[in-house]
Amino acid sequence: MWRMYIAVFIQPFTWSFYTASVFIGIAAAVLWTAQGNCLTINSDEHTIGRNSGIFWALLQSSLFFGNLYIYFAWQGKTQISDSENILGEDESSDDQDVEVNEPAQNNMTKAVDAFKKSLKLCVTKEMLLLSITTAYTGLELTFFSGVYGTCIGAVNTFGTEEKSLIGLSGIFIGIGEILGGSLFGLLSKNNRFGRNPVVLLGILVHFVAFYLIFLNMPADAPIAPLEGTDSSAYIKPSKEVAIFCSLLLGLGDSCFNTQLLSILGFLYSEDSAPAFAVFKFVQSICAAVAFFYSNYLLLHWQLLLMVIFGFFGTVSFFTVEWEAAAVVARGSDYRSI
């Protein structure tokens, strides 16, 4: 499916692009669920945080290398020709064929059972609370991967560098992601305070980034025409501030995602596939909703939505983490399925 999606960019058409996007989304959902399950199987309660951080750092390394090309290829350009259309980000891919040793009927039964467990899991207290946090990661995923780069490229004040700055922004988002994943992976084993401080750091970093973006970017940047916008922001748009915000967006995102992977692997260690399926479902739905409204809402309204979801998502994560810590302190196993 990934090869089909890449092939669409050779000669892009609207119908083929959207069709391929649907198929790659289906494939990504399966792959993410499998990755989360594999991560949980190969970790315990002491190593899940470390392994989640390492996994996230390696995953996001593609942001750095892919956008490095964009930065150099688009320098000095105000329009991107058809020959320069490329795919800028690779979240995940799998080129290896998996041998299926079990009968197809048995695999279908397992899939149906996992789907039923996912439905039951959706209405549990822990998953409902974590779904708020997951929803926030979907909104901010859309913002830093699609909306923010568009905003930077639409600001005419940046001059001929506006397009290449999109690539530079992606590089610094990747640096923030890799830095966060590596740092939290290395420190998780010695962290006596649980996951809450990392999530708190993530939301504070994001709030700072949102405030600076609010001051630095014109409100109509997300919905500006192809010619860009000459509107003024609260301060004169600064390239340095814009790139610094990219770093903060990546760092904050790594805080949330590494800790979500960690807590899901901890809470649902016995059968993690349904939990990660719900996680990816909620995140993807919210990302799709964010892509839809990003074409209509001014920048400050999009930032406000993320602030609201970020606040309540942080509180809900704290609640689940405190309950999990209390169970561990009593020396009993945590079971939700």
Side-chain angles (χ1 to χ4, degrees):
M1 287 189 181
W2 185 253
R3 293 188 183 94
M4 178 185 69
Y5 185 68
I6 292 292
V8 167
F9 288 84
I10 298 175
Q11 185 61 50
F13 297 98
T14 302
W15 66 269
S16 61
F17 179 76
Y18 285 125
T19 302
S21 297
V22 171
F23 283 111
I24 198 65
I26 295 172
V30 176
L31 187 58
W32 267 98
T33 303
Q35 287 173 336
N37 190 32
C38 180
L39 185 66
T40 303
I41 291 173
N42 291 280
S43 306
D44 56 35
E45 62 179 283
H46 302 293
T47 61
I48 184 66
R50 180 200 65 191
N51 294 344
S52 297
I54 295 173
F55 163 75
W56 194 254
L58 293 174
L59 173 71
Q60 298 298 336
S61 62
S62 62
L63 280 172
F64 177 82
F65 296 106
N67 285 287
L68 190 63
Y69 171 81
I70 293 291
Y71 174 67
F72 288 108
W74 289 5
Q75 274 191 335
K77 296 185 181 295
T78 57
Q79 296 290 332
I80 308 303
S81 64
D82 290 340
S83 62
E84 292 168 323
N85 284 333
I86 64 170
L87 184 65
E89 180 179 348
D90 178 4
E91 283 285 336
S92 55
S93 63
D94 187 6
D95 295 329
Q96 296 181 349
D97 294 328
V98 180
E99 294 184 3
V100 181
N101 297 319
E102 297 180 351
Q105 185 66 34
N106 190 25
N107 290 339
M108 181 60 67
T109 302
K110 288 184 177 181
V112 172
D113 290 340
F115 179 72
K116 291 179 179 178
K117 287 183 179 180
S118 297
L119 293 179
K120 291 173 60 178
L121 189 61
C122 285
V123 296
T124 61
K125 176 185 176 182
E126 297 83 11
M127 188 53 72
L128 286 173
L129 288 171
L130 288 177
S131 292
I132 303 174
T133 315
T134 304
Y136 171 67
T137 64
L139 299 183
E140 54 98 6
L141 169 65
T142 293
F143 184 77
F144 79 74
S145 65
V147 177
Y148 189 55
T150 302
C151 292
I152 292 176
V155 179
N156 292 335
T157 309
F158 292 152
T160 57
E161 294 183 344
E162 60 183 13
K163 301 305 180 187
S164 63
L165 282 176
I166 298 175
L168 190 60
S169 171
I171 290 173
F172 275 85
I173 290 173
I175 291 174
E177 297 275 14
I178 296 169
L179 177 64
S182 303
L183 183 64
F184 305 138
L186 293 174
L187 296 181
S188 63
K189 201 166 185 179
N190 300 318
N191 185 8
R192 297 174 297 172
F193 305 103
R195 303 171 184 86
N196 283 347
V198 178
V199 173
L200 179 61
L201 173 64
I203 197 62
L204 292 177
V205 166
H206 269 177
F207 280 177
V208 171
F210 296 158
Y211 181 66
L212 291 176
I213 292 170
F214 173 73
L215 295 177
N216 193 51
M217 289 288 169
D220 62 343
I223 57 176
L226 289 176
E227 296 77 18
T229 177
D230 294 306
S231 301
S232 59
Y234 288 92
I235 61 175
K236 182 180 179 180
S238 166
K239 292 178 284 189
E240 291 77 14
V241 173
I243 298 305
F244 178 64
C245 289
S246 299
L247 177 68
L248 296 181
L249 289 173
L251 179 60
D253 181 65
S254 69
C255 292
F256 276 94
N257 279 283
T258 55
Q259 302 315 300
L260 276 171
L261 292 174
S262 176
I263 198 170
L264 287 173
F266 171 73
L267 295 181
Y268 307 102
S269 57
E270 294 297 318
D271 192 5
S272 60
F276 283 101
V278 174
F279 162 73
K280 199 58 187 175
F281 173 78
V282 174
Q283 187 182 65
S284 299
I285 287 293
C286 291
V289 170
F291 269 115
F292 174 77
Y293 70 61
S294 66
N295 292 319
Y296 303 98
L297 293 183
L298 295 174
L299 180 61
H300 55 268
W301 293 117
Q302 297 188 40
L303 294 173
L304 178 61
L305 277 174
M306 288 190 293
V307 167
I308 294 173
F309 271 88
F311 174 78
F312 287 106
T314 301
V315 172
S316 64
F317 186 95
F318 282 7
T319 303
V320 177
E321 173 68 4
W322 284 329
E323 291 183 359
V327 171
V328 172
R330 291 196 299 267
S332 57
D333 290 334
Y334 197 103
R335 296 289 182 270
S336 294
I337 300 180

